[in-house]
Amino acid sequence: MLEDIDRILISRETIARRVREIAQQITHDLCLEEEGPPAELTLVPILTGSLIFVADLIRELPLKLQLNLVSISSYSGTKATSRGAAVEQSLTKLPESMAGTHVLVIDDILDSGNTLRAAIVALHHRQPASIRTCVLLRKQRPEAMAFPVDYVCFDIPDVFVVGYGLDYNGYYRNLPDIVTLRPEVFRRR
Ligand code: 5GP
Ligand code: MG
Protein backbone atom coordinates (compact mmCIF):
# COMPACT_ATOMS: atom_id res chain seq x y z
CA MET A 1 0.00 0.00 0.00
CA LEU A 2 2.73 2.50 0.95
CA GLU A 3 4.52 1.90 -2.35
CA ASP A 4 1.45 3.29 -4.17
CA ILE A 5 1.94 6.74 -2.65
CA ASP A 6 3.23 9.36 -5.02
CA ARG A 7 3.43 12.38 -2.74
CA ILE A 8 2.35 13.41 0.74
CA LEU A 9 0.20 16.47 0.23
CA ILE A 10 -0.77 17.10 3.86
CA SER A 11 0.99 15.37 6.73
CA ARG A 12 -0.76 13.89 9.75
CA GLU A 13 0.81 16.53 12.00
CA THR A 14 -0.49 19.37 9.85
CA ILE A 15 -3.94 17.77 9.74
CA ALA A 16 -4.04 17.40 13.53
CA ARG A 17 -3.07 21.03 14.06
CA ARG A 18 -5.64 22.33 11.62
CA VAL A 19 -8.45 20.11 12.95
CA ARG A 20 -7.84 21.54 16.42
CA GLU A 21 -7.93 25.07 15.02
CA ILE A 22 -11.18 24.52 13.08
CA ALA A 23 -12.78 22.92 16.15
CA GLN A 24 -11.94 26.00 18.20
CA GLN A 25 -13.43 28.24 15.55
CA ILE A 26 -16.63 26.16 15.33
CA THR A 27 -16.99 26.15 19.13
CA HIS A 28 -16.41 29.89 19.29
CA ASP A 29 -18.93 30.67 16.52
CA LEU A 30 -21.65 28.40 17.91
CA CYS A 31 -21.30 29.72 21.44
CA LEU A 32 -21.27 33.31 20.18
CA GLU A 33 -24.49 32.90 18.21
CA GLU A 34 -26.24 31.10 21.02
CA GLU A 35 -24.79 33.25 23.82
CA GLY A 36 -23.46 30.07 25.37
CA PRO A 37 -23.17 26.48 24.18
CA PRO A 38 -26.05 25.51 21.84
CA ALA A 39 -28.68 23.42 23.61
CA GLU A 40 -29.09 21.06 20.67
CA LEU A 41 -26.20 20.38 18.30
CA THR A 42 -26.25 17.61 15.72
CA LEU A 43 -23.27 16.75 13.59
CA VAL A 44 -24.17 15.17 10.27
CA PRO A 45 -21.07 13.44 8.87
CA ILE A 46 -21.33 12.20 5.31
CA LEU A 47 -19.98 8.66 5.14
CA THR A 48 -17.64 7.09 4.45
CA GLY A 49 -14.94 9.62 3.62
CA SER A 50 -15.49 11.90 6.62
CA LEU A 51 -15.18 9.05 9.14
CA ILE A 52 -11.67 9.76 10.39
CA PHE A 53 -12.00 13.53 10.17
CA VAL A 54 -15.17 13.52 12.27
CA ALA A 55 -13.64 11.15 14.81
CA ASP A 56 -10.80 13.59 15.35
CA LEU A 57 -12.96 16.70 15.15
CA ILE A 58 -15.55 15.71 17.76
CA ARG A 59 -12.85 15.04 20.32
CA GLU A 60 -11.78 18.66 19.96
CA LEU A 61 -15.34 20.00 20.39
CA PRO A 62 -16.15 20.55 24.09
CA LEU A 63 -19.87 20.74 23.33
CA LYS A 64 -22.87 18.55 24.03
CA LEU A 65 -23.59 17.01 20.66
CA GLN A 66 -25.13 14.11 18.81
CA LEU A 67 -24.00 12.34 15.65
CA ASN A 68 -26.35 11.59 12.80
CA LEU A 69 -24.49 9.71 10.09
CA VAL A 70 -25.72 9.88 6.52
CA SER A 71 -24.45 8.40 3.32
CA ILE A 72 -24.56 9.96 -0.13
CA SER A 73 -22.66 8.68 -3.15
CA SER A 74 -21.85 10.95 -6.02
CA TYR A 75 -19.46 8.73 -7.90
CA SER A 76 -19.17 5.02 -8.48
CA GLY A 77 -16.41 3.05 -6.82
CA THR A 78 -14.04 2.68 -9.72
CA LYS A 79 -13.93 6.29 -10.83
CA ALA A 80 -11.36 8.73 -9.58
CA THR A 81 -13.66 11.65 -10.18
CA SER A 82 -17.18 12.70 -9.28
CA ARG A 83 -17.51 15.16 -12.10
CA GLY A 84 -20.83 15.15 -13.93
CA ALA A 85 -22.03 12.13 -11.96
CA ALA A 86 -25.57 12.14 -10.64
CA VAL A 87 -26.00 12.17 -6.91
CA GLU A 88 -27.41 8.87 -5.81
CA GLN A 89 -29.04 9.80 -2.55
CA SER A 90 -29.27 7.44 0.31
CA LEU A 91 -29.76 9.69 3.27
CA THR A 92 -30.52 7.50 6.20
CA LYS A 93 -31.48 7.80 9.80
CA LEU A 94 -32.34 11.51 9.75
CA PRO A 95 -35.27 12.26 12.04
CA GLU A 96 -38.33 13.70 10.29
CA SER A 97 -38.06 16.96 12.17
CA MET A 98 -34.88 18.58 13.43
CA ALA A 99 -36.60 21.71 14.76
CA GLY A 100 -34.55 23.48 17.42
CA THR A 101 -31.28 21.73 16.69
CA HIS A 102 -28.19 23.35 15.20
CA VAL A 103 -26.73 21.22 12.45
CA LEU A 104 -23.14 20.93 11.29
CA VAL A 105 -22.75 18.92 8.08
CA ILE A 106 -19.30 17.38 7.65
CA ASP A 107 -17.80 16.05 4.45
CA ASP A 108 -14.34 14.92 3.43
CA ILE A 109 -13.92 16.93 0.26
CA LEU A 110 -15.75 19.59 -1.69
CA ASP A 111 -15.38 18.93 -5.40
CA SER A 112 -18.48 19.62 -7.55
CA GLY A 113 -20.63 20.47 -4.52
CA ASN A 114 -23.26 17.87 -5.47
CA THR A 115 -22.87 15.86 -2.28
CA LEU A 116 -23.10 18.82 0.07
CA ARG A 117 -26.00 20.28 -1.88
CA ALA A 118 -27.98 17.03 -1.56
CA ALA A 119 -27.33 16.95 2.18
CA ILE A 120 -28.37 20.57 2.66
CA VAL A 121 -31.60 20.11 0.70
CA ALA A 122 -32.53 17.06 2.77
CA LEU A 123 -31.75 18.88 6.00
CA HIS A 124 -33.69 22.02 5.03
CA HIS A 125 -36.87 19.95 4.88
CA ARG A 126 -36.32 19.03 8.52
CA GLN A 127 -36.22 22.69 9.57
CA PRO A 128 -33.29 22.80 11.98
CA ALA A 129 -32.43 26.02 13.85
CA SER A 130 -29.33 26.46 11.66
CA ILE A 131 -27.24 24.55 9.13
CA ARG A 132 -23.48 24.97 8.94
CA THR A 133 -21.09 23.10 6.68
CA CYS A 134 -17.55 21.92 7.26
CA VAL A 135 -15.19 20.17 4.87
CA LEU A 136 -11.74 18.76 5.39
CA LEU A 137 -10.63 19.60 1.85
CA ARG A 138 -11.76 21.90 -0.92
CA LYS A 139 -10.48 21.54 -4.44
CA GLN A 140 -9.28 24.66 -6.13
CA ARG A 141 -11.66 24.46 -9.05
CA PRO A 142 -14.40 26.99 -9.87
CA GLU A 143 -17.42 24.91 -8.77
CA ALA A 144 -15.89 24.13 -5.40
CA MET A 145 -14.58 27.63 -4.74
CA ALA A 146 -17.99 29.13 -5.61
CA PHE A 147 -19.90 26.76 -3.32
CA PRO A 148 -20.70 28.44 0.02
CA VAL A 149 -19.23 26.49 2.92
CA ASP A 150 -18.62 27.68 6.48
CA TYR A 151 -15.44 25.83 7.42
CA VAL A 152 -12.64 24.53 5.21
CA CYS A 153 -9.58 22.89 6.71
CA PHE A 154 -7.44 22.91 3.57
CA ASP A 155 -7.64 24.16 0.00
CA ILE A 156 -5.85 21.74 -2.28
CA PRO A 157 -4.98 21.69 -5.98
CA ASP A 158 -7.38 19.95 -8.35
CA VAL A 159 -5.83 16.49 -7.96
CA PHE A 160 -7.21 13.15 -6.76
CA VAL A 161 -6.23 12.47 -3.16
CA VAL A 162 -6.61 9.57 -0.75
CA GLY A 163 -5.88 8.87 2.89
CA TYR A 164 -7.26 10.12 6.23
CA GLY A 165 -10.61 8.57 5.30
CA LEU A 166 -10.57 9.22 1.55
CA ASP A 167 -10.49 6.19 -0.72
CA TYR A 168 -9.71 4.96 -4.17
CA ASN A 169 -11.88 1.93 -5.00
CA GLY A 170 -12.47 1.53 -1.29
CA TYR A 171 -8.79 1.38 -0.36
CA TYR A 172 -6.25 3.73 1.22
CA ARG A 173 -8.66 5.21 3.80
CA ASN A 174 -6.32 4.08 6.57
CA LEU A 175 -3.36 6.15 5.38
CA PRO A 176 -2.75 8.73 8.11
CA ASP A 177 -1.61 11.45 5.69
CA ILE A 178 -3.44 12.95 2.72
CA VAL A 179 -1.56 11.78 -0.37
CA THR A 180 -1.64 11.44 -4.14
CA LEU A 181 -1.21 8.03 -5.77
CA ARG A 182 1.29 7.00 -8.42
CA PRO A 183 -0.19 7.10 -11.95
CA GLU A 184 0.25 3.33 -12.45
CA VAL A 185 -2.23 2.66 -9.63
CA PHE A 186 -5.00 4.06 -11.84
CA ARG A 187 -3.84 2.01 -14.83
CA ARG A 188 -4.09 -1.29 -12.96
CA ARG A 189 -7.80 -1.73 -13.71
P1 5GP B 1 -18.73 16.46 -4.92
O1 5GP B 1 -20.08 15.89 -4.66
O2 5GP B 1 -18.45 17.76 -4.19
O3 5GP B 1 -18.37 16.49 -6.36
O4 5GP B 1 -17.68 15.41 -4.40
C1 5GP B 1 -17.57 15.10 -3.13
C2 5GP B 1 -17.33 13.62 -3.00
O5 5GP B 1 -16.60 13.07 -4.14
C3 5GP B 1 -16.47 13.41 -1.81
O6 5GP B 1 -17.26 13.18 -0.67
C4 5GP B 1 -15.64 12.20 -2.21
O7 5GP B 1 -16.33 11.03 -1.87
C5 5GP B 1 -15.54 12.27 -3.71
N1 5GP B 1 -14.28 12.89 -4.14
C6 5GP B 1 -14.12 14.04 -4.82
N2 5GP B 1 -12.82 14.31 -5.02
C7 5GP B 1 -12.13 13.31 -4.47
C8 5GP B 1 -10.72 13.02 -4.33
O8 5GP B 1 -9.81 13.75 -4.76
N3 5GP B 1 -10.40 11.87 -3.69
C9 5GP B 1 -11.33 11.02 -3.19
N4 5GP B 1 -10.90 9.93 -2.59
N5 5GP B 1 -12.65 11.26 -3.29
C10 5GP B 1 -13.05 12.39 -3.91
MG1 MG C 1 -17.71 11.12 -0.01
Side-chain angles (χ1 to χ4, degrees):
M1 179 182 71
L2 298 179
E3 65 280 6
D4 293 343
I5 296 174
D6 185 28
R7 195 160 74 85
I8 294 184
L9 211 63
I10 310 170
S11 72
R12 62 199 87 178
E13 294 82 12
T14 305
I15 298 169
R17 257 199 315 275
R18 183 68 182 135
V19 169
R20 224 169 289 134
E21 230 173 65
I22 282 282
Q24 281 168 7
Q25 203 184 327
I26 291 169
T27 306
H28 174 263
D29 293 353
L30 279 166
C31 292
L32 201 70
E33 180 177 289
E34 285 290 285
E35 294 172 348
E40 288 295 332
L41 175 61
T42 305
L43 267 51
V44 179
I46 300 174
L47 295 176
T48 305
S50 72
L51 189 75
I52 295 177
F53 175 40
V54 81
D56 283 344
L57 184 72
I58 56 171
R59 286 177 290 172
E60 300 291 341
L61 291 175
L63 299 166
K64 190 177 167 196
L65 60 85
Q66 294 190 329
L67 289 181
N68 210 317
L69 310 176
V70 298
S71 97
I72 301 172
S73 288
S74 69
Y75 76 112
S76 69
T78 54
K79 282 192 214 143
T81 171
S82 65
R83 260 156 244 192
V87 174
E88 163 210 314
Q89 269 195 56
S90 63
L91 276 165
T92 49
K93 293 189 216 154
L94 279 178
E96 263 173 40
S97 167
M98 297 180 85
T101 191
H102 293 267
V103 170
L104 179 66
V105 185
I106 300 171
D107 203 4
D108 52 359
I109 184 163
L110 176 61
D111 188 1
S112 70
N114 288 341
T115 305
L116 221 44
R117 190 175 297 112
I120 292 166
V121 166
L123 285 161
H124 259 299
H125 292 308
R126 289 158 170 90
Q127 303 183 311
S130 68
I131 302 176
R132 284 183 175 76
T133 48
C134 174
V135 293
L136 174 68
L137 306 171
R138 175 172 61 185
K139 286 205 177 162
Q140 285 170 318
R141 58 184 290 235
E143 294 93 322
M145 299 307 285
F147 195 94
V149 56
D150 297 294
Y151 305 99
V152 177
C153 286
F154 301 100
D155 278 311
I156 60 161
D158 190 3
V159 292
F160 190 78
V161 293
V162 298
Y164 196 69
L166 290 106
D167 74 306
Y168 174 57
N169 287 344
Y171 295 103
Y172 307 106
R173 294 194 197 276
N174 51 325
L175 288 171
D177 309 296
I178 294 165
V179 309
T180 55
L181 294 172
R182 297 162 72 94
E184 51 269 33
V185 175
F186 302 103
R187 278 188 234 118
R188 266 181 219 151
R189 45 183 300 153

